[in-house]
Amino acid sequence: MTERGFAWRRRHQHSAHLVLASWLGVVLYSPLGEDARVLLATRVVAFPLLVVSGLLLWKGPALSRRLRG
């Protein structure tokens, strides 16, 4: 992948990670967190995606180097 493509992908991964973290903050610190459906969606969708995006931001470059050989 070119450097330009890598930077674009990483920037978008970082933006998605920030959006998910913001959502988690909203759920934790607002009355919205009292709704059972919102909590379920956060626990089942948002939090796992936040963890995966964080791991990809942290170890993604090393993983891609290892997969390329």
Side-chain angles (χ1 to χ4, degrees), residues 6-21 49-65:
F6 176 75
W8 181 88
R9 185 183 69 193
R10 187 154 173 94
R11 185 174 60 241
H12 283 80
Q13 284 176 346
H14 188 255
S15 298
H17 185 75
L18 289 176
V19 167
L20 289 167
L49 286 176
L50 182 65
V51 169
V52 169
S53 68
L55 286 173
L56 282 175
L57 285 170
W58 178 39
K59 289 293 185 179
L63 180 65
S64 66
R65 279 193 304 269

Side-chain angles (χ1 to χ4, degrees), residues 2-46:
T2 66
E3 284 297 316
R4 184 177 179 123
F6 176 75
W8 181 88
R9 185 183 69 193
R10 187 154 173 94
R11 185 174 60 241
H12 283 80
Q13 284 176 346
H14 188 255
S15 298
H17 185 75
L18 289 176
V19 167
L20 289 167
S22 298
W23 173 255
L24 188 61
V26 165
V27 169
L28 288 176
Y29 295 110
S30 75
L32 188 63
E34 296 173 3
D35 186 11
R37 293 174 298 185
V38 173
L39 281 177
L40 180 64
T42 301
R43 290 177 183 159
V44 173
V45 178

